[in-house]
Amino acid sequence: KRVEVRGNEELSDEKIEEVITIKENTILNRVLLNDNEESIKALYESEGYYLASIEHEVEIEGHEAVVVFYIEEGEKVKVRRVTFIGNKAFTDKEIRKVMGTREIGIFSFLTGSGKFNEYVFQNDLLSIMALYYDDGYIQAEITNKSVLLSEDKRWFFITIVLDEGEQFTVGKVDMGGDILTTKEELMENIKLSEGDIFSRRVLGEDIAALRDIYGDEGYANVEIRPMTPIDHENKTVDVKLIIDKGLPVYIERIDIRGNTKTRDKVVRREIEVGEGELYSLTAIKRSRNNLRRLGYFDDVAMRQRPGSFEDKLVLDVEVKERPTGQISAGFGYSSVDKLMGTASISQSNFMGTGKKLDLSGTFSATSERYQAGLTEPWLFDRPISAGFNIYKTSREYLDFDKESTGFDIRFGFPIHRRTTRGYVVYRDDMITVTNVGTTASGLIKDQEGARDTRSITASIVRDTRDDAFFPSEGSTSSLSMEYAGGPLSGDNNFVKYIAKAVKFFPLPWETTISRRGELGYVYGFDDTPIPIYERFFLGGINSLRGFRTREVGPRDPETNEVIGGDKEALFNLEFLFPLIPEQRVKGLLFFDAGNAYEGNMNLGDLRTSAGFGVRWFSPIGPLRLEWGYNLDKREDEKASNFEFSIGMPF
């Protein structure tokens, strides 16, 4: 009739019910009762409650029974001390670094240290051996290990006894069997060399490198057997890699699963191998990154299984779709706009076709922006993108108002595989500057009235990121040139160059460091000044955090108003770490440096800031919460600046 759990405080009913196999409305099986007691006890032990006791009771109510599990949780047993005996090559601290089992400390309530888990501990023993094997101690072994409970049953004391043995170096390195090109060419991919400290990890990397080489030539089932005879007298290990390449393998079929909304065609066009083609391991890896960069999927897995013949295989592509439609909102604060809000309705995978639709608006007491756009990433089923935007904006500055109405038409095309593309954008923008204050800068007064900007922007973009939203490796870089006026007519004549680059570095524990740099330069020609709205300003969540939007840049010497520069330099350093991995919530630490200049660029005059934040790919779009601190505060500047946005790019 019913299954109840009583006495639990530390673990929820839901978590305990996950391990209980006795269910309501089933026949009572008393044999399972003891098994369920053990399952609940094992659950508590995995959480560190080794003193927990579980008993069951069956209450009969006519022809029905109520099963009750009574739990006494007891105190949580913590790891008080981990002791190593016999280690000379590595210090206690070095060994502890590779272990998941940690001693209890002051910050255990944050780090979770002190928790004992048998599964984690067994992995720790393997990690310790790997540490030794990767430094030439190939005969190292753990001769004894003990996990003792203190008399008061509150603490675990762990002892690990090691026999390190001697350190071995690499002897002769050779390979044999099916040599694909020449032995000399293949040996260039081998890191192990004679005289090096022998490392099992490096040996594994060498084997993986050879697998990639053979895999790119279609040999998906290549076998590489390492022969490692040991010379005990000279303390060396000879390495010979025996290669059996097998038959060249062809892709028999590509099966796509999990795409309930996205059309098969949208997935297949990102896969760089086709049915009937020769297998290529690198192309499959690139295909996975192509799919992840789309932003349509939370996860992409590519697995292979045997086909109908020995020289055939089936490639399974499994995707987990994420919501691609967004109703987004955000707010922020700046000295110009005060409290501002933004809202947008967008669909980056319209009807599963990959088309992107966008309708957005930003509004505040001093500004408005409305935009509608459409992008087709594969025009006529070719890797050529096309799109347009129509927009209208207005904004009130301290000394003038600016209104803009225009459109742009853009095209993109591949240059090198899927990672490098070229773009061409035509823009026609009618801009009106009104309500210029009597104390405004002369630069602004000269631009009062309506001016038409007609420009063409050409750019090259290279993107090798492994994910569109939370990349952990790869890079993005771009170089663009915008030419306005001249033969395009219009009222503004200028040329603007912008170079950007971001590099991502994966670190242990799913953390990532990224470095970003941006340089910009703009100049006018035909005796036309650079428009105030084309000059460089820094500050805000997308450039120099800790400063208000458009707060950093050259100032008019008479009015002290920020008028922007003809050059800019911006550098960002970020460290991202998981906060709630299952919800894709990440923490952020950052350091920013940058400035805008008029005339000579002086990198010794960079403005700097640092801070922290939270990023989350929420159900309604990417969310950012970031707080920056001005590290060299000047007069009339705030010491810090907080900004928040949802659905904005980052």
Side-chain angles (χ1 to χ4, degrees), residues 23 63 115 167 185 237 249 272 296 320 323 414 460 559 650:
K23 303 298 179 183
H63 294 288
K115 180 180 176 180
Q167 188 180 50
E185 287 185 18
V237 180
V249 176
E272 298 189 24
Y296 306 162
K320 181 181 179 182
I460 297 176
T559 65
F650 62 92

Side-chain angles (χ1 to χ4, degrees), residues 359-430:
L359 179 64
S360 62
T362 302
F363 47 88
S364 72
T366 58
S367 69
E368 292 182 355
R369 178 179 176 87
Y370 304 100
Q371 175 176 301
L374 170 67
T375 302
E376 168 57 78
W378 282 67
L379 189 64
F380 308 125
D381 288 329
R382 305 281 294 177
I384 299 172
S385 62
F388 69 88
N389 281 321
I390 303 172
Y391 53 85
K392 181 176 182 179
T393 68
S394 64
R395 185 166 188 169
E396 298 177 11
Y397 294 94
L398 291 176
D399 291 323
F400 68 96
D401 296 344
K402 170 179 169 284
E403 293 184 359
S404 174
T405 303
F407 68 92
D408 64 55
I409 301 173
R410 57 191 182 275
F411 295 92
F413 50 90
I415 294 177
H416 180 67
R417 293 198 176 99
R418 309 297 179 91
T419 59
T420 305
R421 294 180 64 85
Y423 295 91
V424 176
V425 181
Y426 173 77
R427 175 170 68 104
D428 192 334
D429 197 355
M430 179 59 73

Side-chain angles (χ1 to χ4, degrees), residues 20 35 68 72 95 170 236 238 259 292 298 368 383 424 475 481 489 535 565 607:
I20 295 176
D35 292 341
V68 182
E72 291 185 8
I95 299 177
V170 178
T236 60
D238 293 337
N259 55 321
R292 294 187 66 177
D298 274 328
E368 292 182 355
V424 176
S475 65
M481 182 193 76
S489 70
R535 299 173 72 85
R607 307 302 307 280

Side-chain angles (χ1 to χ4, degrees), residues 584-597:
R584 301 195 78 190
V585 179
K586 299 205 173 197
L588 167 73
L589 300 175
F590 65 82
F591 172 80
D592 295 343
N595 210 339
Y597 306 90

Side-chain angles (χ1 to χ4, degrees), residues 194-213:
E194 188 172 353
D196 290 348
I197 300 298
F198 180 82
S199 170
R200 189 178 64 175
R201 174 184 57 80
V202 176
L203 176 60
E205 292 174 355
D206 289 343
I207 293 174
L210 291 177
R211 287 186 186 278
D212 287 351
I213 293 171

Side-chain angles (χ1 to χ4, degrees), residues 496-524:
K496 179 184 282 189
Y497 301 91
I498 296 178
K500 301 178 183 179
V502 188
K503 176 68 175 177
F504 301 91
F505 301 90
L507 296 176
W509 305 299
E510 298 183 1
T511 61
T512 306
I513 281 183
S514 67
R515 298 184 307 190
R516 175 193 177 201
E518 179 176 331
L519 297 174
Y521 172 52
V522 59
Y523 67 89

Side-chain angles (χ1 to χ4, degrees), residues 5-9 40-41 44 49-55 69-75:
V5 178
R6 300 177 186 174
N8 57 305
E9 295 181 358
I40 297 172
K41 184 171 179 58
Y44 268 90
Y49 293 92
Y50 285 83
L51 303 180
S53 63
I54 294 89
E55 294 182 357
F69 290 98
Y70 292 95
I71 300 174
E72 291 185 8
E73 295 176 324
E75 292 292 328

